Amino acid sequence: MHRAPRGAGLARVQGLARHGLAPAQAIVTGFGLALLVGTTLLWLPISSTQRPATFVEALFTATSALCVTGLTVVDTAVFWTPFGKLVILLLIQVGGLGIMLFAALVGLVLARKLSVRARINTVVEAKAFGVPDVRRLARNIFLTSIAIEAVVAALLFVRFVSGYGYDAGKALWHGVFHSVSSFNNAGFALYTDNMMGFVADPWVSLPMCAAIILGGVGFPVLRELAREWRRPLHWSMNTRIVLPATIVLLVLGSLAITVIEWENPGTLGDKDPATRVLAGFYHAVQTRTAGFNSLDIGAMHDETWLIMDILMFIGGGPAGTAGGIKITTFAVLLFILWTELRGGTAVNIFGKRLSRSVHREAISVVLMALAAVMGATVAILTMTDLDLGRVLFEAVSAFATVGLSTGITATLPPAAQLILVALMFLGRIGPLTLGPALALRERRVAYELPKERPVIG
């Protein structure tokens, strides 16, 4: 049987998009509607304990949960009622799977079929290659997510019961909540100090790290590993970039954080060596855009903040639960730089030539991301008396949907918090999807202008 080339499905999506369908707009609209519902529910008196949440508090929390970030302006553990925490959990799950994927799953359950528009929206949201496989794609993503979350929840349940004396109901709730929050790279915790009480406990820290890494590498990588894990030579360029880069960033991040903070009395200095190594690795994993913390981020050195800024900005793999500009975007820029340094004419990766349109997309993503982060940082600096390091850290964390904070989020004025809301929304949707959607829209012209070049450098 003849099979269409791998890129044929995406070409069909691009063709349909050019004929009036706008999946990027549908994704933005879907996230907007979910955000409206989540904000309304958290705004209700039933969602909070002592007083009703203000509109900004409800909006900020709903955005942070839906965009799987984890930044908070109130204490999640004590401010929200069980109903409010359930709303947060559902927003995390919806935001992690993606609004369009979630809608596709509902459509499959209720109607047993998908419209052409729904197929296109699902493909764009999941960065899939072929339209005909959407039914299987949606099912596999859902089952993969639930399976990983269930395994991690079970491990945490056992640990909470055996190691901390939780009753079965509390252990189950805490296990499920932190498992879902971990796999979806959300960073929300049910403790006032986030996960600082478990800094020395590998039975809690490592299962959460595993869930974060699996969610962060992206569904395409997980799907390919499930099929071709024995044949790495058959892996796609995406998988061959994401996996090694993820390992390298985790190793370098762990070493940098552990070494710099080793003697810091506010973070690792008062811990035993094994705990220091565990905590260093744990926080390197969090910069993959998860956002839990088992140490006081505000007490870290400026050098550590800068390194974490870089790691957060890069983010995780595409089409997963992580944020940032994505590992593949960063890798493409490195390969472009390497080609220029060698005097090459074409960018080649793993024996394949990279399309020039990918060059433009990568550069566009990075420049738009830098503009958003820098613009927000300058705006917040003008509103507050905070130093640059803390504000930049907060802005990068919001855009990269990480959730790590130096402790200033709740102290920011409402206008600054709304800027962070916009950053989180932009970071989750993605600069290309929210902006011109360059990957799906091509403007073909029948002529070319004369060439000329300015002086570079």
Side-chain angles (χ1 to χ4, degrees):
M1 181 181 295
H2 174 71
R3 295 184 63 182
R6 191 178 186 121
L10 184 56
R12 290 172 60 186
V13 174
Q14 293 171 330
L16 288 169
R18 286 195 293 270
H19 284 82
L21 296 176
Q25 294 179 4
I27 293 171
V28 174
T29 302
F31 264 78
L33 290 175
L35 180 58
L36 177 62
V37 173
T39 301
T40 302
L41 291 176
L42 292 178
W43 205 9
L44 297 175
I46 192 178
S47 296
S48 51
T49 54
Q50 300 174 350
R51 60 171 177 81
T54 66
F55 174 76
V56 173
E57 290 170 342
L59 173 63
F60 192 100
T61 304
T63 305
S64 185
L66 185 67
C67 298
V68 291
T69 305
L71 289 175
T72 57
V73 291
V74 294
D75 186 347
T76 304
V78 299
F79 185 85
W80 303 109
T81 63
F83 175 80
K85 293 172 183 174
L86 179 61
V87 171
I88 292 172
L89 181 65
L90 293 176
L91 287 172
I92 291 172
Q93 187 70 80
V94 170
L97 286 174
I99 296 296
M100 292 303 108
L101 283 176
F102 191 82
L105 288 167
V106 174
L108 286 172
V109 172
L110 297 180
R112 297 286 182 176
K113 62 182 179 180
L114 289 173
S115 66
V116 174
R117 180 184 293 272
R119 286 171 179 258
I120 295 172
N121 292 340
T122 307
V123 169
V124 174
E125 172 70 14
K127 308 294 188 298
F129 290 103
V131 177
D133 294 327
V134 170
R135 194 182 292 265
R136 188 184 312 150
L137 171 72
R139 183 179 67 248
N140 288 345
I141 288 177
F142 179 76
L143 293 178
T144 300
S145 301
I146 296 302
I148 294 174
E149 290 170 357
V151 171
V152 175
L155 293 174
L156 294 178
F157 170 82
V158 172
R159 182 56 179 166
F160 288 145
V161 170
S162 62
Y164 297 92
Y166 289 9
D167 60 68
K170 180 179 180 180
L172 180 62
W173 168 239
H174 281 239
V176 169
F177 188 96
H178 293 100
S179 173
V180 172
S181 187
S182 296
F183 179 73
N184 291 288
N185 282 218
F188 277 89
L190 295 177
Y191 305 98
T192 298
D193 60 357
N194 204 273
M195 303 302 293
M196 292 179 66
F198 304 95
V199 62
D201 191 342
W203 300 104
V204 172
S205 298
L206 294 182
M208 293 177 65
C209 286
I212 291 164
I213 294 170
L214 290 174
V217 297
F219 292 112
V221 173
L222 293 179
R223 183 176 58 172
E224 189 161 34
L225 288 179
R227 294 177 176 179
E228 304 283 354
W229 66 275
R230 292 183 177 180
R231 299 187 292 179
L233 293 179
H234 292 190
W235 292 352
S236 66
M237 182 186 294
N238 182 73
T239 299
R240 294 170 75 178
I241 289 175
V242 171
L243 281 184
T246 298
I247 295 172
V248 169
L249 291 174
L250 286 175
V251 171
L252 293 180
S254 300
L255 287 173
I257 294 172
T258 304
V259 170
I260 295 174
E261 296 296 322
W262 189 267
E263 299 293 341
N264 185 348
T267 55
L268 296 180
D270 61 345
K271 309 292 190 299
D272 62 84
T275 300
R276 296 182 192 186
V277 173
L278 175 63
F281 172 73
Y282 185 81
H283 285 82
V285 172
Q286 304 314 313
T287 62
R288 315 312 307 133
T289 80
F292 294 103
N293 67 281
S294 61
L295 299 173
D296 183 359
I297 303 297
M300 288 182 171
H301 294 305
D302 290 350
E303 301 92 325
T304 306
W305 288 349
L306 182 58
I307 290 171
M308 295 175 79
D309 284 340
I310 296 171
L311 294 174
M312 292 189 297
F313 189 77
I314 295 172
T321 57
I325 62 171
K326 302 298 188 293
I327 288 174
T328 46
T329 303
F330 181 70
V332 165
L333 294 181
L334 289 182
F335 279 111
I336 293 174
L337 174 61
W338 178 244
T339 301
E340 288 296 321
L341 293 176
R342 296 180 60 194
T345 57
V347 179
N348 300 316
I349 304 178
F350 304 127
K352 299 289 182 67
R353 181 172 57 86
L354 201 65
S355 170
R356 291 193 179 275
S357 64
V358 178
H359 303 191
R360 298 193 301 270
E361 290 169 19
I363 294 171
S364 298
V365 167
V366 172
L367 289 179
M368 293 171 69
L370 286 173
V373 171
M374 293 299 104
T377 300
V378 172
I380 295 175
L381 283 172
T382 62
M383 300 177 185
T384 66
D385 296 325
L386 297 168
D387 60 85
L388 174 61
R390 292 179 184 274
V391 174
L392 178 62
F393 190 95
E394 205 80 4
V396 173
S397 181
F399 173 81
T401 67
V402 179
L404 292 173
S405 174
T406 59
I408 66 173
T409 315
T411 65
L412 294 174
Q417 293 175 353
L418 291 177
I419 290 176
L420 294 181
V421 167
L423 274 180
M424 289 188 286
F425 192 83
L426 174 62
R428 180 64 184 100
I429 298 299
L432 288 184
T433 303
L434 190 60
L438 298 176
L440 286 176
R441 297 182 182 182
E442 293 183 6
R443 182 186 175 193
R444 298 185 180 276
V445 295
Y447 60 89
E448 289 187 358
L449 296 175
K451 288 184 178 180
E452 186 176 355
R453 57 174 298 167
V455 178
I456 302 297

